[in-house]
């Protein structure tokens, strides 16, 4: 039976503090400058990798930290709580599960130690397509077996960190939709080396936040057959399998965002004096911050529950989804309270509020839209009729 701990262990507190200390070396100015030029936080990611934080979920036998999902979540949370943006490097943690659970021993031995040491980066996850969006089973990218290779054709959109990664986890259709019994059948996952891959065009896509995302075009791209993870046609189940980890890790980032906003808002509202008193004395300023704080704290309890179930190997789909939803909404509430309390200064880049505001907003939309989390809870948890 999973035991839900409300307080962190001493080891987890030490971990949190160490990550926060490292992050302090990369203050607001660092992230602001990257945001302006849409550059990748190379130095920060390298330092995190060197310290072993990004390999937290890789088992010790492959050179990783062998930690649990809550520990990994705390690492991402602290990055965001410090004012940074863990999105630059979170994918490595949540993609890892697919390789760990379904990859062959040869694939694990070949890739994991190098990913753990930082010699290889696995930061790209290719699922979304222009014509299928949230309806993943309708994706149109195909991978057709040809001897000891697969030939990939199709398009992907919003695929992040492709230019900063050596490896990509790719979801493609290996059996046409018209030939499968269930629409979730016939999709396969591949772990591919994307360095100098012939026929792959990467077109960077500027978005409202610094996220290194791209449109991808696969024109008869030849990949080795042994890049297939697990069995052909079972890829959708493998990806779904990894979703709970992804939800819990993203929830942790939102908690970090929420806490950054609250800390920033509290500090500013105590310092800023208008009409001869600190603005935080006004209930119109104070109450939204207090409400957002409560929302963040409540959402954290759901994250702790989801993580405890996950780490105990128990089903946690409902809790992981609810944690993702609640934390994203709480962070957004905190973002608005923080922006409001800063008045005009909230819009000035040097305060970092507007940057974090944009960054935190993403998690209501991606990696899964909160609407679809509501649909999951309505349909799968509460048993109401399906909308799709
Ligand atoms: C910055 C950024 C980075 C990203 N990085 C990656 C990445 O690395 N890899 C990757 O694969 N993808 C990535 N994505 C894609 C992201 O996961 C998708 O944008 C997201 O899953 C939604 O898909 P969509 O944009 O096509 O929206 P759509 O599926 O077109 O949906 C549009 C709207 O309609 C709503 N909607 C649709 N159907 C229903 C329904 N049945 N009930 C209620 N509402 C519904 C949705 O909730 C949404 O609000 C990224 C996106 C962004 C913005």
């Amino acid at each position: 039976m999973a035991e839900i701990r409300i307080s962190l262990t001493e080891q987890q507190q030490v971990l949190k503090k160490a990550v926060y200390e490292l992050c302090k070396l990369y203050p607001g100015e660092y992230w602001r400058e990257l945001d302006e030029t849409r550059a990748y936080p190379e130095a920060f990611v390298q330092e995190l990798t060197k310290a072993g934080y990004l390999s937290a979920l890789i088992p010790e036998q492959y050179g990783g930290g062998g930690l649990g999902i809550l520990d990994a979540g705390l690492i991402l949370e602290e990055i965001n709580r410090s004012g940074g943006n863990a999105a630059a490097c979170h994918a490595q943690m949540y993609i890892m599960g697919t390789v760990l659970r379904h990859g062959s021993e040869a694939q694990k031995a070949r890739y994991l130690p190098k990913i753990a040491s930082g010699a290889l980066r696995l930061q790209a996850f290719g699922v979304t397509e222009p014509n299928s969006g949230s309806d993943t089973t309708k994706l149109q990218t195909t991978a057709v077996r040809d001897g000891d290779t697969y030939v990939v054709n199709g398009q992907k959109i919003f695929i992040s960190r492709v230019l900063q990664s050596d490896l990509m986890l790719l979801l493609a259709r290996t059996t046409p939709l018209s030939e499968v019994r269930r629409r979730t059948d016939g999709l396969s996952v591949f772990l591919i080396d994307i360095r100098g891959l012939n026929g792959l065009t990467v077109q960077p896509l500027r978005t409202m936040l610094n996220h290194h995302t791209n449109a991808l075009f696969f024109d008869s791209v030849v990949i080795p057959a042994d890049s297939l993870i697990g069995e052909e046609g079972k890829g959708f189940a493998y990806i779904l399998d990894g979703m709970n980890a992804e939800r819990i890790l993203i929830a942790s980032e939102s908690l970090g965002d929420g806490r950054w906003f609250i800390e920033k808002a509290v500090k500013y509202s105590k310092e800023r004096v208008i009409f001869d008193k600190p603005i935080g004395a006004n209930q119109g300023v104070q109450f939204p911050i207090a409400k957002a704080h409560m929302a963040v704290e409540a959402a954290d309890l759901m994250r702790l529950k989801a993580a405890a179930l996950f780490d105990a190997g128990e089903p946690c789909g409902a809790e992981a989804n609810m944690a993702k939803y609640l934390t994203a909404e709480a962070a957004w509430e905190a973002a608005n309270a923080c922006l409001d309390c800063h008045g005009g200064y909230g819009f000035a880049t040097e305060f970092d509020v507007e940057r974090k505001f944009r960054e935190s907003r993403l998690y209501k939309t991606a990696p899964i839209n909160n609407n679809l989390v509501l649909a999951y809870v309505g349909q799968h948890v509460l048993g109401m009729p399906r909308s799709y």
Side-chain angles (χ1 to χ4, degrees):
M1 274 291 270
E3 187 189 327
I4 303 158
R5 287 180 60 102
I6 291 178
S7 53
L8 300 178
T9 63
E10 207 182 309
Q11 226 175 359
Q12 285 165 337
Q13 286 172 28
V14 170
L15 173 71
K16 252 175 84 117
K17 194 157 178 285
V19 175
Y20 197 80
E21 289 300 314
L22 187 155
C23 292
K24 281 209 306 215
L25 304 172
Y26 297 87
E29 296 91 295
Y30 175 77
W31 295 99
R32 218 175 298 146
E33 208 176 298
L34 294 169
D35 184 62
E36 249 173 65
T37 53
R38 292 295 192 264
Y40 189 71
E42 197 59 54
F44 175 71
V45 173
Q46 271 184 30
E47 189 150 353
L48 271 189
T49 309
K50 215 166 77 199
Y53 294 130
L54 290 188
S55 57
L57 292 174
I58 298 179
E60 282 171 299
Q61 70 186 105
Y62 299 110
L67 300 179
I69 200 79
L70 180 58
D71 306 309
L74 294 174
I75 294 169
L76 299 180
E77 179 183 335
E78 287 311 285
I79 296 172
N80 282 25
R81 184 170 81 88
S82 74
N85 186 6
C89 48
H90 59 188
Q92 183 146 315
M93 285 190 180
Y94 62 71
I95 303 172
M96 195 58 63
T98 305
V99 182
L100 277 176
R101 274 188 300 275
H102 308 288
S104 66
E105 201 38 62
Q107 285 166 328
K108 288 191 250 186
R110 182 168 164 204
Y111 290 118
L112 295 181
K114 287 192 180 147
I115 295 172
S117 73
L120 283 179
R121 257 195 212 147
L122 170 59
Q123 288 288 1
F125 188 29
V127 176
T128 306
E129 296 193 2
N131 297 326
S132 54
S134 310
D135 193 358
T136 307
T137 58
K138 298 245 180 69
L139 62 78
Q140 296 166 336
T141 296
T142 55
V144 177
R145 182 80 188 233
D146 181 17
D148 57 2
T149 64
Y150 281 89
V151 181
V152 183
N153 279 290
Q155 263 187 59
K156 298 271 172 193
I157 188 88
F158 297 122
I159 310 306
S160 307
R161 299 165 300 272
V162 176
L163 296 172
Q164 291 78 24
S165 194
D166 303 306
L167 306 172
M168 172 164 66
L169 205 68
L170 173 74
L171 188 66
R173 189 157 272 292
T174 39
T175 309
L177 199 52
S178 56
E179 291 172 27
V180 292
R181 209 164 46 83
R182 291 174 308 177
R183 61 196 171 126
T184 49
D185 293 339
L187 292 166
S188 300
V189 180
F190 299 90
L191 179 59
I192 59 175
D193 195 323
I194 49 178
R195 291 169 295 180
L197 196 55
N198 275 335
L200 173 63
T201 307
V202 183
Q203 211 172 75
L205 195 70
R206 198 177 163 94
T207 58
M208 70 184 248
L209 71 168
N210 185 20
H211 208 90
H212 320 283
T213 200
N214 310 278
L216 304 186
F217 302 88
F218 293 84
D219 183 9
S220 298
V221 173
V222 178
I223 56 171
D226 69 4
S227 54
L228 176 73
I229 298 279
E231 271 182 66
E232 190 183 291
K234 300 260 170 75
F236 189 73
Y238 300 160
I239 295 289
L240 273 192
D241 225 25
M243 290 301 182
N244 290 336
E246 181 191 88
R247 307 278 190 262
I248 295 167
L249 293 171
I250 294 292
S252 302
E253 285 178 51
S254 286
L255 284 172
D257 285 337
R259 295 199 155 112
W260 185 87
F261 286 121
I262 306 277
E263 286 168 25
K264 186 96 175 166
V266 168
K267 184 167 183 293
Y268 188 75
S269 68
K270 288 201 260 189
E271 289 168 0
R272 174 76 170 161
V273 175
I274 293 291
F275 296 116
D276 304 321
K277 64 180 178 189
I279 55 168
N282 301 302
Q283 293 175 339
V285 174
Q286 189 182 96
F287 286 6
I289 300 170
K291 276 176 72 181
H293 173 67
M294 289 191 272
V296 169
E297 289 300 312
D300 191 7
L301 294 178
M302 186 57 78
R303 187 273 304 256
L304 289 174
K305 182 175 180 186
L309 291 167
F310 185 98
D311 281 335
E314 292 182 30
C316 63
E319 290 77 8
N321 274 284
M322 291 191 287
K324 189 271 167 190
Y325 178 96
L326 292 169
T327 52
E329 296 294 334
W332 186 233
E333 187 176 343
N336 280 285
C338 186
L339 186 80
D340 283 337
C341 109
H342 276 78
Y345 295 97
F347 295 82
T349 50
E350 71 182 276
F351 279 71
D352 292 315
V353 176
E354 61 84 32
R355 172 178 61 80
K356 291 287 284 180
F357 189 82
R358 289 181 278 118
E359 290 170 358
S360 69
R361 179 60 178 82
L362 177 66
Y363 294 142
K364 275 163 65 72
T365 300
I368 184 176
N369 198 287
N370 270 2
N371 261 2
L372 291 192
V373 176
L374 289 171
Y376 174 89
V377 172
Q379 294 157 28
H380 295 279
V381 181
L382 301 175
M384 290 189 277
R386 288 180 74 95
S387 72
Y388 54 88

